[in-house]
Each structure stands twice: as C-alpha cells, then as structure tokens.
Amino acid sequence: MLYLLALIGVVTVLVLLWKAFGPVTKAPVNGRVTGPDDDPEFLWRVNRDVHRKHTDGDTPTDSES
C-alpha cells in the first residue's frame, strides 16, 4: 500500500513539473483564432470574385477551370 501511495505521489509531482516547465504552446497574437469568414483578405477576395462574376457574365474564373 505504501508503494502505491509513493507511486501516486511521484506521478503527481511529475505532472506538476511537466505543466510548469514543459513545452509552451503559443497563443494567437490577438488572443483569438480568426476563421476564414473573419479574415479581411479572404472577404475581399470573395467580394472581388462575386463582383467579377456579375460583371463578366458566365465566364469561368481561374478557380473554376
């Protein structure tokens, strides 16, 4: 029984040390993840493609070929 408690204690200490000194994961710069529908460049490209389809008629774009 004493060995089991010692093992649990060692595992607990190892987990705490891993959390304290283990590899660091980088958080996003602005604090949140930006999805493609929130990305201004993506929205600009979508708007540009929609505008091209409306002005050019049914001509295929580069992504449709």
Side-chain angles (χ1 to χ4, degrees), residues 2-53:
L2 185 61
Y3 292 118
L4 180 63
L5 290 175
L7 180 64
I8 291 172
V10 169
V11 170
T12 303
V13 169
L14 289 175
V15 168
L16 291 175
L17 287 173
W18 178 262
K19 293 285 187 180
F21 302 110
V24 178
T25 58
K26 292 189 176 187
V29 175
N30 61 359
R32 67 182 186 102
V33 177
T34 303
D37 55 342
D38 292 337
D39 184 15
E41 184 178 335
F42 173 77
L43 293 174
W44 177 80
R45 278 187 268 131
V46 168
N47 190 23
R48 180 191 63 190
D49 291 343
V50 168
H51 180 69
R52 282 184 182 171
K53 285 183 181 180

Side-chain angles (χ1 to χ4, degrees), residues 51-65:
H51 180 69
R52 282 184 182 171
K53 285 183 181 180
H54 286 302
T55 58
D56 294 342
D58 289 337
T59 57
T61 60
D62 294 336
S63 62
E64 293 179 354
S65 52

